Amino acid sequence: FFLISATILFFGFFGRVCYDFNRGYDPKDFCAKFRSEIFATGLVTFVATLIVFVTSYFRGRMPYEIFYLSHFFVFVMFLFATIHTFDDVARNGQVRSQNLAWFGTSMAIYMADRLWAATSKRSCRVIEAVPTEDGTALALTIERPHGFEFHPGQYAQICVPGIDRFWHPFSIASAPEVRHLKFLIKANVDSPASWTCALMSKQWLDKMLSGQALVHVRGPYGYAVADLKKSDAVLAIGSGTGVVPMLSLMDERLITMSRVGRDALVKAV
């Protein structure tokens, strides 16, 4: 809101001054600023930033794919924000800013992360895929890749080639000690063409369960809930699919307590 308001005030003020100059009311020529190199690069930077902000605000009202692709405008923002500092003032020797250093470092970290993500992809066989009775969610269980270590509260990204090439993030519902990964996926029933609805269709359920389609997984990502193994009691609050990390935590605690003894398990339950 403040970004849009400031932009309206900016264009309103300078537009008025430019108008007064063209009418002969003001001797100062601000119209040239609207044709300057720095204004053009600044305008592109602003538009790219605005696209990212607006699509983030309306995240729940648009397909995930549009939300995902629109955020690549952040690279346009980085590029033109850097070019913005290499105007005629900078070329005359004046140090404008450290945009190149800051953005260059951020991009190096991002590219390293993307390289790791590209090389950490694993293909997994589907063990079980059970839709709920009302068809609004899917319990998806896949084999756990070797070396895939995680903690309760973390999530993974999954992709099913053939439906689309996008990666979709979901919290892990299974305990770290078991040999499979379980996800509870809520269907976007308001959009029958969505990825989640396609995943829950009979066509793709049959393909996954028969082994014709594999699920690609990478991760884990995010932070663990906490190191709660030494805690006597844990209070977890959540609703909807927000309970998924808590299911992972609950299973982990049950397994831990069962190793301690029957009395500890009964107390934990």
Side-chain angles (χ1 to χ4, degrees), residues 126-133 137-141 182-185 200 205 209:
V126 174
I127 300 174
E128 188 178 49
V130 182
T132 56
E133 291 184 2
L138 174 70
L140 179 67
T141 305
K182 189 170 187 176
F183 303 93
L184 297 181
I185 301 172
M200 292 179 59
L205 289 177
L209 291 172

Side-chain angles (χ1 to χ4, degrees), residues 119-188:
T119 56
S120 64
K121 178 183 70 174
R122 330 277 181 87
S123 297
C124 304
R125 182 177 56 87
V126 174
I127 300 174
E128 188 178 49
V130 182
T132 56
E133 291 184 2
D134 58 1
T136 59
L138 174 70
L140 179 67
T141 305
I142 64 175
E143 58 185 4
R144 181 173 173 176
H146 177 72
F148 190 97
E149 303 295 335
F150 70 96
H151 300 280
Q154 291 189 290
Y155 70 94
Q157 293 181 333
I158 63 176
C159 171
V160 182
I163 298 181
D164 64 24
R165 306 298 298 183
F166 292 96
W167 290 89
H168 302 264
F170 295 99
S171 296
I172 303 172
S174 50
E177 290 82 0
V178 299
R179 297 183 178 180
H180 60 265
L181 296 176
K182 189 170 187 176
F183 303 93
L184 297 181
I185 301 172
K186 183 178 180 181
N188 184 7

Side-chain angles (χ1 to χ4, degrees), residues 203-225:
Q203 174 190 358
W204 280 102
L205 289 177
D206 291 343
K207 283 186 177 182
M208 290 188 294
L209 291 172
S210 65
Q212 298 179 42
L214 298 177
V215 174
H216 294 175
V217 61
R218 66 186 187 192
Y221 298 97
Y223 297 95
V225 174

